[in-house]
Amino acid sequence: MATLVSTTDLVKEFPLHGSLFDVFSARRKRVHAVDRVSFSIAEGEVLGLAGESGSGKSTTGRLLLRLIEPTSGAVEYRGRNVTSFSARELERLREKVQIVFQDPNSSLSPRMSVGQAITHPLQIHGIGTTVERKERVLDLMEKVGLSPAEFLYRKYPHQLSGGQSQRVVLARALVTQPDFLVADEPIAMADVSVRALILQLMRQLKRDMGLTYLFITHDLATAKYLCDRIAVMYLGRIVELASRDTLFSRPHHPYTKALLAAVPVPDPKARRDKNLPKGEIPSAINPPSGCHFHPRCPYAVARCREARPPLREIAPGQFSACILD
Ligand code: SF4
């Protein structure tokens, strides 16, 4: 399959606001949110981006759409460097590349009806006549399970259930017929009963509409259901990247193993790895030297503190940023 989206050495640092002296100082403190991240996503693929909060997953997602500007590095869409797109090209890109955020309530305007909210991107991009837009919106509403569409079209966000709100957000993202969707923790705020339905819907929409996803999650169990490959992030870096099956059956990086050990299993007697990482994720303002994971890693040795371990291919299609064999 051809590559649809890729990143090369993507970096995002957020300068911290301090005194006037700090603003002009070369030593101004920065949050190292994304640190030389490279990956590619093939057409029709679902790549999971997993890790604890503060790992840089959501920032990476926003960089792909250029909702924020990278400090350095490249993002390519269909082989073209998005970071050098003009305003006009960026507008066209946003028709084809969309994002769904985790909190549907804060993504929907309380003053816009369901119909208005889903129609809005069509108006922005000048797609279709009034009649064609309504037809497309009603059709899509039925596809995402907002049924009966004619009835829900006039409802407002406060009149919807959590599951319906998330479906509206999905429909709004899909109405311009994008080919790539960044789904940023799309079920994190949903009730347990709704989560499975939204995931099923995303899988079905991917099949029916030929979509490609970057699926951002802190929950590996969810990633297992939807993703073809999974990249695990820790403090702004990808520490492991592998197919879903390999990651779950033969994880290599100690952080991946720790995350997997935290995934709930239905059997209460099942043996669990007790080597969970010690302590909290360190600050991204002053990340640990060498391997960022060394203060929490049960296998750390002196050289782990010295140099950044490269993300190397340790088995066909499996990459790990760890010095262990
Ligand atoms: Fe642990 Fe060292 Fe591997 Fe980092 S490089 S994960 S500290 S063993």
Side-chain angles (χ1 to χ4, degrees):
M1 277 286 194
T3 296
L4 185 69
V5 175
S6 66
T7 69
T8 309
D9 285 335
L10 198 58
V11 172
K12 181 63 187 178
E13 295 173 352
F14 294 101
L16 284 181
H17 297 294
S19 67
L20 199 59
F21 173 76
D22 289 338
V23 170
F24 295 106
S25 166
R27 289 176 300 154
R28 186 179 182 187
K29 285 187 178 163
R30 287 159 196 281
V31 177
H32 302 269
V34 175
D35 184 3
R36 280 186 278 159
V37 161
S38 303
F39 59 77
S40 61
I41 311 176
E43 268 185 78
E45 187 182 31
V46 182
L47 178 71
L49 210 49
E52 291 165 284
S53 71
S55 59
K57 316 179 294 287
S58 294
T59 305
T60 304
R62 282 160 176 75
L63 287 167
L64 294 194
L65 277 82
R66 253 187 81 188
L67 295 180
I68 49 176
E69 296 295 327
T71 304
S72 62
V75 175
E76 290 197 347
Y77 169 75
R78 296 194 180 278
R80 297 189 57 216
N81 191 351
V82 168
T83 50
S84 59
F85 272 16
S86 64
R88 181 85 195 93
E89 288 171 314
L90 212 49
E91 202 179 298
R92 278 205 297 270
L93 176 80
R94 300 228 169 103
E95 225 181 285
K96 289 291 160 199
V97 177
Q98 289 280 344
I99 188 164
V100 173
F101 297 107
Q102 64 170 265
D103 183 1
N105 297 322
S106 60
S107 337
L108 294 173
S109 164
R111 283 185 291 276
M112 276 180 147
S113 68
V114 167
Q116 287 168 331
I118 304 175
T119 307
H120 197 221
L122 296 177
Q123 291 165 332
I124 291 173
H125 294 288
I127 299 170
T129 61
T130 308
V131 174
E132 286 164 349
R133 284 173 193 161
K134 182 157 186 191
E135 219 168 83
R136 192 194 280 201
V137 168
L138 289 173
D139 184 48
L140 186 57
M141 284 176 67
E142 291 288 350
K143 259 200 191 102
V144 302
L146 287 166
S147 186
E150 282 279 7
F151 173 72
L152 291 167
Y153 190 88
R154 275 170 244 290
K155 297 283 173 195
Y156 283 81
H158 72 275
Q159 298 171 301
L160 305 174
S161 67
Q164 284 174 328
S165 299
Q166 195 54 284
R167 287 169 199 266
V168 173
V169 171
L170 258 177
R172 189 182 57 182
L174 296 176
V175 75
T176 57
Q177 298 178 340
D179 48 21
F180 180 57
L181 195 68
V182 174
D184 187 358
E185 304 261 19
I187 57 166
M189 309 282 285
D191 292 343
V192 176
S193 56
V194 173
R195 286 182 192 178
L197 294 173
I198 298 289
L199 283 177
Q200 270 172 24
L201 173 64
M202 287 186 67
R203 202 144 89 163
Q204 188 194 324
L205 290 170
K206 175 185 131 43
R207 241 189 345 252
D208 296 351
M209 300 176 76
L211 291 163
T212 302
Y213 292 144
L214 178 72
F215 184 74
I216 297 172
T217 182
H218 64 277
D219 176 15
L220 276 174
T222 312
K224 187 178 187 183
Y225 177 79
L226 197 66
C227 301
D228 301 305
R229 288 186 305 146
I230 298 170
V232 177
M233 281 189 82
Y234 185 77
L235 261 186
R237 296 175 178 172
I238 290 181
V239 295
E240 184 155 6
L241 174 60
S243 72
R244 172 196 54 202
D245 294 344
T246 303
L247 198 94
F248 275 81
S249 59
R250 283 182 284 111
H252 180 266
H253 198 283
Y255 179 60
T256 310
K257 289 180 185 174
L259 282 184
L260 285 171
V263 173
V265 285
D267 179 3
K269 294 195 209 95
R271 278 171 57 83
R272 308 294 299 275
D273 185 350
K274 296 285 186 285
N275 283 333
L276 291 170
K278 300 168 277 185
E280 305 254 305
I281 191 164
S283 164
I285 299 170
N286 190 16
S289 61
C291 171
H292 283 350
F293 191 54
H294 80 250
R296 302 172 79 190
C297 180
Y299 312 103
V301 293
R303 80 181 155 112
C304 299
R305 294 176 189 84
E306 287 157 16
R308 173 183 183 153
L311 190 66
R312 63 193 171 94
E313 191 164 20
I314 49 138
Q318 182 177 18
F319 301 81
S320 175
C322 176
I323 58 164
L324 295 175
D325 288 331

